[in-house]
Amino acid sequence: MKHSQAEILREYGPFPGVERVHGVTYDGQHVWFASGERINALDPAAGKVVRSIDVPADAGTAFDGKYIYQIAEDRIQKIEPETGEVVATIPAPGNGGDSGLAWAEDTLWVGQHRGRKIYQIDPESGAILRTIESNRFVTGVTWVDGELWHGTWEGDHSDVRRIDPKTGEVLQRIDMPEGSGVSGLESDGKDRFFCGDGSESKVRAIRKPK
């Protein structure tokens, strides 16, 4: 297993009116992060929140190229980002125990925090298509270049790890600095991960190892 310390490229926040950051996603221009009662569009170049949408947002966030998906307790909302309208809702597989959310292979991938699982689900019905086991609490989830990564956070330790999507075996691990707990996780599709901090009002950009 490859193992390294996180290289923090930039830290964003704290953000006014935000106690902690939950889910994180990236639409190619903005980093969207969930903060309890709204999702916020962060300009990663300027380091500023440029707009917000008022929707319940207490866990994972994902973007499919057109719509934002946001976990709110026991459901997943499909949101039109231009208008903020919730256009559809499906049940979340963990009935309130859900954490991370990602879009890949035309499906949603949902982390289960204490269940230590990642579910692949049908975005139209919420039906579970596949289950992947992890050996740690699962927070944020992201796919990049065919690789499945997820955040973990137990006690004072948090890391970002790549796992084998068939077996759940840990292939690579990036340890976060002490005191920085990863909640949301998203790749920019290149060489960065955006990590929400579930205990602080911050988002961190870390380098994705080659």
Side-chain angles (χ1 to χ4, degrees):
M1 179 186 69
K2 298 177 181 177
H3 182 209
S4 61
Q5 298 295 316
E7 180 186 350
I8 296 177
L9 302 173
R10 188 166 178 182
E11 193 169 86
Y12 303 95
F15 304 102
V18 173
E19 288 188 12
R20 56 183 60 88
V21 173
H22 303 293
V24 177
T25 195
Y26 183 61
D27 67 5
Q29 183 178 6
H30 298 113
V31 177
W32 289 85
F33 67 88
S35 60
E37 297 178 350
R38 62 186 184 272
I39 53 175
N40 312 273
L42 167 70
D43 180 336
K48 295 180 179 179
V49 171
V50 295
R51 62 178 291 235
S52 298
I53 299 173
D54 292 329
V55 289
D58 56 12
T61 314
F63 180 67
D64 71 356
K66 182 177 181 181
Y67 295 100
I68 293 173
Y69 293 82
Q70 177 60 53
I71 296 175
E73 296 184 349
D74 62 352
R75 65 193 188 279
I76 300 173
Q77 306 159 107
K78 183 179 181 179
I79 302 161
E80 210 293 320
E82 292 301 318
T83 65
E85 180 186 2
V86 177
V87 297
T89 303
I90 58 172
N95 297 313
D98 309 275
S99 51
L101 190 63
W103 177 269
E105 300 176 359
D106 295 323
T107 56
L108 288 166
W109 301 76
V110 189
Q112 301 297 297
H113 183 220
R114 295 189 180 277
R116 304 186 184 200
K117 293 180 175 66
I118 298 169
Y119 292 126
Q120 180 187 20
I121 69 169
D122 184 311
E124 299 296 325
S125 67
I128 296 172
L129 307 174
R130 181 174 164 198
T131 304
I132 300 168
E133 303 277 348
S134 174
N135 63 4
R136 297 281 288 182
F137 288 169
V138 176
T139 56
V141 181
T142 190
W143 280 89
V144 56
D145 296 331
E147 297 174 351
L148 175 58
W149 294 77
H150 76 80
T152 76
W153 187 8
E154 292 188 34
D156 296 329
H157 180 77
S158 190
D159 62 54
V160 175
R161 54 184 56 194
R162 176 166 65 96
I163 65 171
D164 185 313
K166 292 187 173 65
T167 66
E169 177 189 358
V170 180
L171 305 174
Q172 194 165 357
R173 196 178 92 205
I174 308 168
D175 286 332
M176 295 296 289
E178 186 175 348
S180 56
V182 175
S183 50
L185 177 69
E186 178 67 297
S187 164
D188 70 347
K190 299 176 183 176
D191 57 0
R192 288 181 297 175
F193 289 122
F194 294 108
C195 305
D197 193 313
S199 61
E200 292 188 87
S201 172
K202 292 183 179 180
V203 173
R204 294 179 181 89
I206 68 170
R207 189 179 305 281
K208 177 184 177 290
K210 295 181 180 178

